[in-house]
Amino acid sequence: MSPVNPHITNQLRQLIYYHLDCNLLRNALFLAGRLHAYEPRSSEAAFLLALCHLRLGQLKAAYDSSKNSGSRGTHLGCSYIFAQACLGLERYIEGATAIDRSKSLWSGRNNWNKHTDTRRLHLPDAGAVICLQAKLWHAHGDTNKAIDCYAEALKLNPFMWDAFLGLCDLGVNVRIPNIFKMTPDMVNGLTAASNEDTPLGILEESPPMNSSLGQQSSANYPQSGNDPFSISRNRVNGESRLNLSSSALFEKFNGSTATVTPVGGGGGLDFEGLDTPTGPGVEINAEALWASNAPVRNVAGVVAEPPLAPMRKARTLQGLGMDFSIDAPPKMKTASVRSVSRSKGDSEEADITGIHGPSMMITGISDRKRTISGQVAQAMSTSSTTNLSSNLNDPMAPQRRSVRLFNQIRPQSSKFSASTGSIGAKEGRELKKAKATGTKGRSTHGSTVGRVVSGNRKHGEPMEVDGKELRNNISNGAPSSNQRPVVNDKVKELEAVHWLLDLFMKLGSGYFALSHYQCQDALQIFNTIIPSQKETPWVLAHIGRALFEQASYAEAEKYFARIKTMAPARLEDMEVYSTILWHLKNEIDLAFLAHEIIDIDRHSPQAWCAVGNSFSLQRDHDQALKCFKRATQLDPKFAYAFTLQGHEHVANEEYDKALAAYRSAIAAENRHYNAWYGLGKVFEKQGKYDVAEQHYRTAATINPTNAVLVCCIGGVLEKMKNPKAALLQYTRSCDLAPKSTLSRFKKARVLMALQEPNLALTELKVLKDLAPDEANVHFLLGRVYKILRQKGSAIKHFTTAMTLDPKASQYIKDAMEQMEDEDDEDGPMPH
């Protein structure tokens, strides 16, 4: 066998990931086959081949491709794909065992916040693996292990929404605030990044390291957010990476590492307008760097010193001394900042950098001089600051020539040079604009280079500086020590995580309440969500489900209609929408919905449930059964389709088949209370009231707020000759649903059986307002008035009942005749 060329394998892997990211799965599968043929013993090649099969839905092929390494737990990717294939193939124990065997590979692995637009990790972390293991145990029926795994996954990653839904679907009581909160790993990761990227900091003003100015005093300057040379770190794969550059870049610029000093409460520097060409061997796209406008910060989160320019041809710039007490000295002074002479080219290029460098913070009265364009001149040392302060105190002090000289040393070929400061328009002294001398036209003598000054001031005339001018400088763009600090990106990232966790908490609280059938609480929680998130199909669908569980079908229908307008191709929860239309007896809309969903995806169980409900509403139960069976064939875990199938068997009085359908629904979803209700109904029809009561109570345990289930328990107890227990259930049912006519009617009937006509009359009066056209209500009212010896009211309601239900006229007439016979026997009532 020929040796493997690593370059070929790397190229094939790159092509596979490229096609996977582009969703060109067939191409990826073909290339994965080439890689596996080239490296048949490689676990990585087997993983990529199995991944392509899994993406294509070829579960058995993915199972076979990943079995060798996945079942033994020797490769994390293979084990993960193998477990996913086992979940689809219902080989749950094999998948869970493979995950356990590979525990050493994924334990402690955390990929949170490490996926970006340009970088992804193709192997799962511990949270994802444990969540998959929970799904395997859940499908296998081991509830305890599933709950433990779901909880562990959420501890590692609170954004693992699947794990939270799994806990809710299992009926686990959880404390939502304990789930959607920052995990220790998240806190440590963000805190470490924040420590490296502090929002405040100062830069020690130091000269270039290749000069003798390393011992000068430091000054504090405010930080600016548009600094292309400040270092900001982006954590990818657990390591710190620079967004735009690295420390090597600064070494190439400066000849050494930048010196920074983190101090809370200080500021940084703004290098906007910097135009320093790079030296040979340093390739930097300056336009891309500047256009990104992304801060590059050092480890302490503060702005790094601007890099020095490389050596260029020698020029002499005399008169650039920093001592403000003299005017254009012929030689450098020892008290100046630059007391040691640099090379000519280095001096010029460094001064160019200083001119186009940041706008410095003004300390005392003024630490900086302004150029004609409004920019701030080069930074000074403490000694220079002292000299300036003395000059400011002396209004007759002459102006430095260096200020005038700095204004003219600006490169003309800069693509992104820009001024960063502005000058006061009213109070500031007026400066004449003069054309800068070009680089080529400059003289080599420092006394004439860039000599453009204000024409209104002569040599030796004092410079006018006052407090008002300084305030204008600060307000017009020059940062000050009182300026609000720039918010760091990591702080914003932390705020974003907290915002997401708060949103997840609200969504999770609503879903948790709905999964426990606390519908009113769920509605209140969903209504507190911000409008942009509330007006989404997922939230609207769950609001509609909550209303559906409360039997508010008309209101629920409005929400689902909005969903269809918002997302016409949505299939999820459409079986609930079709059932709502069935309850509303809306044949036209239900038939249209069924045709619409079938056109979207005829292989979805929701579509066939909608078609089956449409046939059921037309009382074509056989066609409805065929549709519901088709839905269960498409998805054997779709419990609601089995329940609807059982309802149709009950309508056809096929009780044995109905029992089988309801039991299949419970096998698919143990907490599907509709199936437990169906079993109770079948046993009740068969006269097995005690067994029916057990199933009704099981359903009521799952959904304790459903008034219909409580009423059914009362009905069974009433048939078991236990009216007092039945009255308690009816009373509870009326409390849960005050507008429930059936519960109130049965309660009134039991009260009459218990010889409580007055209480029964109270309930019936309320019921008459709820259902004024119900014949049974008026007939029962007639009987109550008959017991109370109110003949006129009794005859009135008997007559109304006869009018509303002519088919029962003979039965009503018999009740009226019995009342007249009793009056004849008893004689006239005493007055």
Side-chain angles (χ1 to χ4, degrees):
M1 184 176 180
S2 60
V4 175
N5 187 340
H7 298 286
I8 295 177
T9 59
N10 289 337
Q11 187 61 227
L12 282 172
R13 289 174 184 171
Q14 184 269 336
L15 289 171
I16 293 169
Y17 283 119
Y18 166 79
H19 287 94
L20 286 174
D21 289 340
C22 295
N23 202 31
L24 301 173
L25 302 180
R26 290 290 178 184
N27 293 350
L29 179 61
F30 175 77
L31 291 165
R34 301 313 99 212
L35 178 61
H36 190 262
Y38 189 72
E39 286 186 308
R41 297 181 181 179
S42 171
S43 298
E44 183 71 17
F47 160 68
L48 290 174
L49 182 62
L51 177 62
C52 294
H53 282 303
L54 186 69
R55 294 276 185 93
L56 286 167
Q58 302 169 359
L59 298 179
K60 189 61 171 63
Y63 174 89
D64 293 336
S65 300
S66 59
K67 184 176 181 180
N68 187 25
S69 298
S71 60
R72 294 184 288 112
T74 57
H75 188 273
L76 176 56
C78 289
S79 296
Y80 192 69
I81 299 298
F82 180 76
Q84 286 183 309
C86 288
L87 180 62
L89 296 173
E90 300 183 2
R91 300 179 180 182
Y92 309 122
I93 299 297
E94 289 186 55
T97 304
I99 290 177
D100 284 334
R101 289 176 178 172
S102 63
K103 187 173 183 179
S104 60
L105 301 177
W106 54 260
S107 180
R109 185 184 180 94
N110 188 2
N111 296 343
W112 179 80
N113 209 29
K114 296 178 183 177
H115 289 249
T116 65
D117 293 337
T118 57
R119 180 175 294 275
R120 291 174 180 82
L121 303 180
H122 61 278
L123 294 179
D125 62 356
V129 175
I130 294 174
C131 184
L132 176 58
Q133 191 175 30
K135 293 179 181 179
L136 289 165
W137 290 122
H138 189 179
H140 180 62
D142 195 332
T143 304
N144 293 330
K145 290 185 178 179
I147 292 173
D148 292 340
C149 291
Y150 281 137
E152 184 64 25
L154 283 171
K155 286 180 182 178
L156 296 173
N157 187 353
F159 296 108
M160 197 69 66
W161 186 250
D162 266 1
F164 176 75
L165 296 184
L167 288 177
C168 293
D169 294 340
L170 287 172
V172 180
N173 289 320
V174 295
R175 294 182 179 180
I176 307 298
N178 291 343
I179 293 178
F180 298 109
K181 64 179 182 181
M182 296 284 288
T183 65
D185 290 339
M186 296 167 64
V187 173
N188 293 337
L190 290 177
T191 302
S194 297
N195 289 337
E196 295 175 357
D197 273 347
T198 54
L200 297 177
I202 64 171
L203 174 65
E204 181 180 346
E205 183 188 5
S206 59
M209 299 303 291
N210 57 355
S211 71
S212 62
L213 303 179
Q215 304 298 326
Q216 65 178 341
S217 302
S218 63
N220 295 348
Y221 303 103
Q223 180 176 342
S224 177
N226 54 358
D227 180 3
F229 289 101
S230 60
I231 305 175
S232 118
R233 293 187 176 266
N234 180 22
R235 291 195 169 272
V236 179
N237 296 335
E239 51 184 331
S240 299
R241 299 180 181 272
L242 297 178
N243 288 341
L244 300 175
S245 183
S246 65
S247 59
L249 174 61
F250 289 89
E251 295 178 7
K252 291 179 181 179
F253 270 106
N254 294 334
S256 64
T257 307
T259 303
V260 292
T261 303
V263 176
L269 298 178
D270 186 357
F271 295 100
E272 187 176 359
L274 182 64
D275 186 24
T276 303
T278 61
V282 181
E283 298 181 0
I284 298 176
N285 188 346
E287 293 181 354
L289 182 65
W290 192 262
S292 65
N293 198 25
V296 184
R297 303 187 180 274
N298 60 10
V299 177
V302 298
V303 184
E305 183 183 10
L308 292 177
M311 299 292 292
R312 302 182 72 177
K313 67 178 183 178
R315 280 195 189 95
T316 302
L317 292 179
Q318 299 179 5
L320 298 184
M322 303 301 292
D323 189 350
F324 297 130
S325 63
I326 64 173
D327 184 73
K331 295 181 179 181
M332 291 291 188
K333 283 206 165 221
T334 56
S336 168
V337 175
R338 290 175 170 78
S339 57
V340 180
S341 300
R342 291 190 195 163
S343 63
K344 295 179 181 179
D346 193 15
S347 174
E348 181 191 54
E349 291 302 318
D351 290 338
I352 292 173
T353 304
I355 292 169
H356 300 284
S359 300
M360 297 299 186
M361 181 184 71
I362 300 175
T363 60
I365 297 178
S366 175
D367 281 352
R368 306 299 304 275
K369 296 291 185 177
R370 296 190 309 277
T371 64
I372 293 176
S373 61
Q375 290 181 320
V376 207
Q378 181 74 5
M380 67 198 71
S381 67
T382 305
S383 61
S384 302
T385 306
T386 307
N387 291 334
L388 176 59
S389 300
S390 63
N391 289 343
L392 291 177
N393 294 331
D394 184 7
M396 300 301 295
Q399 183 189 18
R400 294 183 300 113
R401 284 175 61 192
S402 59
V403 177
R404 299 193 297 271
L405 291 172
F406 287 163
N407 295 333
Q408 298 307 315
I409 310 176
R410 176 176 301 189
Q412 302 298 320
S413 60
S414 170
K415 294 183 179 180
F416 52 90
S417 170
S419 62
T420 60
S422 60
I423 188 169
K426 295 183 180 179
E427 293 83 355
R429 60 186 177 83
E430 182 178 358
L431 301 177
K432 284 188 176 182
K433 298 181 179 179
K435 183 176 181 181
T437 304
T439 304
K440 295 182 179 181
R442 293 176 182 165
S443 172
T444 59
H445 299 289
S447 60
T448 58
V449 172
R451 190 110 185 213
V452 180
V453 297
S454 173
N456 294 335
R457 193 169 66 86
K458 296 180 180 180
H459 178 73
E461 185 175 342
M463 186 176 182
E464 298 177 4
V465 180
D466 56 11
K468 183 180 292 186
E469 181 179 349
L470 294 177
R471 287 193 298 271
N472 282 341
N473 261 345
I474 295 173
S475 62
N476 288 328
S480 66
S481 59
N482 296 328
Q483 184 178 3
R484 186 175 183 180
V486 180
V487 180
N488 188 268
D489 288 341
K490 289 300 178 184
V491 176
K492 293 183 178 180
E493 184 178 354
L494 183 62
E495 292 176 354
V497 172
H498 282 295
W499 186 89
L500 283 174
L501 288 172
D502 182 67
L503 176 62
F504 270 55
M505 186 179 298
K506 291 181 179 179
L507 294 173
S509 298
Y511 186 88
F512 174 79
L514 183 58
S515 66
H516 286 71
Y517 300 100
Q518 300 169 359
C519 302
Q520 194 59 38
D521 294 342
L523 291 173
Q524 293 177 359
I525 295 170
F526 283 132
N527 286 327
T528 62
I529 298 175
I530 57 176
S532 60
Q533 294 293 328
K534 180 183 176 183
E535 294 298 321
T536 54
W538 190 90
V539 177
L540 294 177
H542 285 78
I543 293 176
R545 288 182 70 100
L547 293 170
F548 167 73
E549 295 294 344
Q550 289 182 330
S552 300
Y553 302 122
E555 290 296 321
E557 192 272 337
K558 294 178 182 178
Y559 281 93
F560 280 102
R562 287 167 60 186
I563 293 172
K564 289 300 296 180
T565 303
M566 187 181 303
R570 180 182 173 90
L571 296 176
E572 190 177 359
D573 300 312
M574 287 300 105
E575 74 280 2
V576 178
Y577 186 24
S578 65
T579 303
I580 290 171
L581 295 175
W582 185 91
H583 283 288
L584 294 174
K585 311 299 180 185
N586 195 335
E587 294 186 13
I588 296 176
D589 289 347
L590 180 54
F592 179 77
L593 176 66
H595 282 286
E596 191 177 24
I597 301 178
I598 282 290
D599 290 339
I600 294 172
D601 185 6
R602 65 185 306 108
H603 297 293
S604 64
Q606 295 88 348
W608 290 102
C609 285
V611 176
N613 277 329
S614 180
F615 280 119
S616 177
L617 188 58
Q618 299 172 12
R619 299 187 182 279
D620 191 345
H621 302 298
D622 292 336
Q623 290 296 330
L625 277 170
K626 292 180 181 179
C627 295
F628 295 140
K629 287 180 180 179
R630 175 59 177 161
T632 58
Q633 290 173 353
L634 292 170
D635 187 0
K637 298 295 183 181
F638 200 70
Y640 193 58
F642 285 110
T643 300
L644 294 175
Q645 183 179 337
H647 292 341
E648 296 305 312
H649 284 303
V650 170
N652 287 339
E653 297 184 354
E654 299 171 346
Y655 298 128
D656 292 338
K657 294 181 180 180
L659 290 174
Y662 289 135
R663 286 166 180 159
S664 298
I666 293 172
E669 183 181 344
N670 189 41
R671 295 187 71 249
H672 190 61
Y673 77 92
N674 307 77
W676 291 102
Y677 161 80
L679 288 173
K681 183 62 67 176
V682 171
F683 288 124
E684 183 181 357
K685 288 182 176 294
Q686 292 179 342
K688 301 177 181 179
Y689 301 125
D690 53 344
V691 181
E693 180 191 359
Q694 294 176 3
H695 288 83
Y696 282 143
R697 289 189 181 277
T698 302
T701 302
I702 299 171
N703 186 355
T705 61
N706 192 302
V708 175
L709 296 176
V710 179
C711 184
C712 290
I713 297 174
V716 173
L717 292 172
E718 187 179 358
K719 292 179 180 178
M720 295 171 66
K721 307 300 182 181
N722 192 352
K724 291 184 179 181
L727 179 62
L728 293 175
Q729 298 297 325
Y730 291 143
T731 303
R732 180 164 170 256
S733 178
C734 292
D735 293 338
L736 291 172
K739 295 183 179 181
S740 174
T741 56
L742 181 61
S743 300
R744 203 168 293 275
F745 178 81
K746 291 186 175 182
K747 180 180 179 181
R749 191 174 60 187
V750 170
L751 287 171
M752 289 181 61
L754 293 173
Q755 303 300 319
E756 295 288 347
N758 292 320
L759 296 176
L761 181 61
T762 303
E763 298 294 335
L764 288 171
K765 285 181 179 179
V766 176
L767 188 58
K768 184 184 69 173
D769 296 334
L770 295 174
D773 296 331
E774 181 61 43
N776 289 325
V777 174
H778 289 281
F779 178 74
L780 202 57
L781 273 169
R783 290 183 57 188
V784 170
Y785 282 121
K786 174 183 172 183
I787 295 172
L788 295 175
R789 303 291 184 173
Q790 298 182 17
K791 183 177 179 181
S793 298
I795 293 176
K796 173 186 175 182
H797 286 286
F798 279 140
T799 305
T800 304
M802 191 182 304
T803 304
L804 293 173
D805 189 5
K807 295 181 179 179
S809 59
Q810 186 60 43
Y811 184 74
I812 298 172
K813 287 179 181 179
D814 293 340
M816 295 173 66
E817 290 175 357
Q818 290 177 3
M819 182 178 62
E820 293 176 356
D821 294 340
E822 291 175 359
D823 290 342
D824 294 340
E825 294 177 358
D826 296 340
M829 293 182 62
H831 297 284

